[in-house]
Amino acid sequence: MTWHAIFLCCCCMLHMLLLVTGSNSYPKNINIWPMPESVELGNKTVVISKDFNLKIDGTSKYKDKSGILKDGFTRLLDVVTSNNVIEYNFGKVDQSLILQGIHVVISSEDDRLQYGVDESYKLNINPKGNPNYAYIEAVTVYGALRALQTFSQLCHFNLNSRKLIVSQTPLTITDRPRFTYRGLLIDTARHYQPLPMIKKVIDSMAYAKLNVLHWHIVDEQSFPLEIPSFPKLWNGAYSRHERYTVAAAAEIVSYAQRRGINVLAELDVPGHARSWGVGYPALWPSKTCQEPLDVSNDFTFKLIDGVLSDFSKIFKYKFVHLGGDEVDTSCWVLTPRIRNWMKQKGLNESTAYEYFVLKAQKIALSHGYEVINWEETFNHFGNKLDKKTVVHNWLGGGVAEQVVKAGLRCIVSNQDKWYLDHLDNDWEMVYMNEPLVNITIPEQQKLVIGGEVCAWGERIDGSDIEQTIWPRAAAAAERLWTAPDKLAKNASDATSRISNFRCLLNQRGIAAAPLSVPGRAAPLEPGSCYFQ
C-alpha cells in the first residue's frame, strides 16, 4: 500500500466517523454549497416525517397556479430519499423533533423568470412556536426554489436510526446571490447533446444555484436547430438524428425555467457560421471561401432577422448572444464581389466587421433583445457598440476593468480560469478567479453582472459532459453566489465542502469527477468519494 493510499484510508475513516457515529455528530462547519450569506445553528436534531409535506401559507400572495413550487418540492423529496431506504417507525420520539413539512410564504405572485429576478430567501428549521415545520420566506418562487436546494443539502441519512434527519437545529439561514448572472455554457455544435443529457445538466446547475444556461447552439461545424423561417438551415446538422426541433428547444427552455434557470441562446456571427451555407450557399462569400457570412449580401441580414424572429418565440430571456469572436475577414478580401462592395462603401476589413456586428445588433434590438457580444467587438470598436451591449470577456484579464470604465456591462469567463474544456484549469484555479479584480469603484462593480464557466464541445459529448463540468463549475458557482466575506480565503479551506458537494452530485446521479485529478480523469486509486 502506498503512503498516499494509507493517508487517504486514515482520512476516510476519520470522515466516516464524523458522518455516521450519531445524530449530533456532524461537523460544526455545516456542509452547504454554495455558502449562504448567514447561518445560525442550534444543537438539536430533527427527524423527517414520512408524510413530509408542502404548505403554501395563507398569507402568501403566490398560489403556485403553475405548479413550479410543487414540482420543486417533489424534486426535493426525490433527491433526499433516493440514496437510502428510510425507516419511519418513530416509536417514542419527541414529537417536537419530528419535522412534518415546509411552510412557504412568497410575497410576489409573479412567476415570470427574467434577468434580475429576486432569488433571496430565509430558511428556518425547527423554530420556536411551531417546531414541526420548516419555514421559507422569499420574494419570488425562484428564491423559494433556492431555499429548497439548501434544505436538500441539510438532510442526512443517519445510519444508526435509519432515518432522514436535519442536525444543528434550530437553524436559520438568510441568503441571496452576489451576482445576478451565474452561467454555464454548453456547446451543441461541436458535438450534439441529446435532450435528456441537456436536462441532466440543467438539474445539476440548479443543485449549485447557477441560473443561466448559455446554449451555444450552432457553429461552423453544425447547425442542429430547426428555424421555421429558413427551414434549410438545419441541413447543416451532422445528421437527421442530431437535430433539435422548435418543440424540443421550447421544452429545454420550459424545463430550465421551472428550475429557475434562464436559457441564453447564441447565434455566433459573422464568423463560426460555415454550416449555415449548407442549406443556403448564398451566405458563403464563395464555394471555396465559406466564412465569415457574406457582409455584402442583403440576404445575410434578412436571414439573421428571420432567425432572431424565430428565436424570440422560443427564447424569452432578456438577452441574446450574437458572438462576434474570432472573425477572419480574409474571405471578404479574396472574393472580388465583396472586395468591390467594400470599396464602394468605403470599408476595409476592420470597418466591414464593425458594420456587420452593429447591423446584427440593430436587428436583435428590433426583436426586443439586449445583446451580448464576445470581447473582440469591444476590443475593436467598443465606443460604437450599442450602449445596452454586454461584453463577454474570455481572452484574458484586464478586459472587464476596461469594459466597465467605458460604461458597458460585462460577463467574466476568462479562459485561463473559467474554460472547463481546459482540463488543466483545476477547481482551485476556478474558485480563486475573482470577477471584480482591480474594479474598486462601486458604480463600476455593478456593471459586472456576473460570470460564466464554459464547456466548449470540441472534445465533449454525452459521454463526458458531466464530469467535464463538475465539480469545477461548483467552484465558480460559489464565487458567483456567495458574499465576498463568506468566501474561503484560500481554495484549500473549501476542500471539505466541495468534496462533500461532489459526492452529493454522484449520489444524485451526476457523474462529477474526482477533485484530485485534472479535468475529467478517473479516480487514481481505491478510496472514499470524500477524499478523491
Side-chain angles (χ1 to χ4, degrees), residues 192-211:
Y192 173 84
Q193 292 290 347
L195 224 62
M197 184 55 71
I198 296 176
K199 288 181 176 181
K200 283 193 73 180
V201 169
I202 291 168
D203 286 336
S204 62
M205 289 176 66
Y207 299 151
K209 300 187 176 74
L210 293 172
N211 72 343

Side-chain angles (χ1 to χ4, degrees), residues 91-291:
K92 295 183 179 181
V93 174
D94 184 342
Q95 292 300 303
S96 68
L97 297 179
I98 298 178
L99 207 59
Q100 301 286 356
I102 300 178
H103 261 165
V104 180
V105 180
I106 298 172
S107 58
S108 173
E109 60 185 350
D110 188 355
D111 65 5
R112 289 175 297 178
L113 179 64
Q114 250 311 340
Y115 172 78
V117 70
D118 193 310
E119 299 173 86
S120 63
Y121 67 88
K122 183 175 182 180
L123 172 63
N124 200 334
I125 301 175
N126 192 226
K128 293 180 180 179
N130 190 354
N132 298 117
Y133 274 84
Y135 287 85
I136 292 172
E137 298 174 44
V139 175
T140 71
V141 66
Y142 302 106
L145 291 182
R146 306 299 180 234
L148 291 176
Q149 290 295 343
T150 298
F151 184 89
S152 76
Q153 293 189 35
L154 296 168
C155 295
H156 302 279
F157 180 74
N158 183 277
L159 276 174
N160 291 341
S161 66
R162 305 295 199 270
K163 293 174 176 54
L164 199 61
I165 64 169
V166 179
S167 298
Q168 297 174 276
T169 70
L171 188 152
T172 301
I173 292 175
T174 304
D175 205 6
R176 69 189 67 246
R178 179 187 180 194
F179 289 102
T180 298
Y181 184 109
R182 307 180 306 281
L184 165 68
L185 178 147
I186 63 169
D187 173 5
T188 60
R190 275 53 180 261
H191 283 97
Y192 173 84
Q193 292 290 347
L195 224 62
M197 184 55 71
I198 296 176
K199 288 181 176 181
K200 283 193 73 180
V201 169
I202 291 168
D203 286 336
S204 62
M205 289 176 66
Y207 299 151
K209 300 187 176 74
L210 293 172
N211 72 343
V212 179
L213 176 69
H214 178 175
W215 190 4
H216 188 84
I217 308 173
V218 303
D219 209 289
E220 64 183 76
Q221 292 87 356
S222 74
F223 196 115
L225 181 65
E226 179 183 23
I227 302 295
S229 298
F230 292 90
K232 294 181 182 179
L233 276 171
W234 71 352
N235 289 0
Y238 286 125
S239 73
R240 294 180 60 84
H241 306 291
E242 295 168 294
R243 293 175 172 178
Y244 305 101
T245 63
V246 168
E251 168 68 12
I252 289 170
V253 171
S254 175
Y255 190 89
Q257 183 263 335
R258 296 184 73 82
R259 287 151 180 79
I261 295 170
N262 280 298
V263 177
L264 168 68
E266 181 173 358
L267 194 71
D268 197 349
V269 294
H272 291 282
R274 181 172 50 83
S275 64
W276 300 36
V278 175
Y280 296 96
L283 296 169
W284 289 335
S286 70
K287 289 184 179 181
T288 58
C289 212
Q290 298 177 343
E291 63 179 5

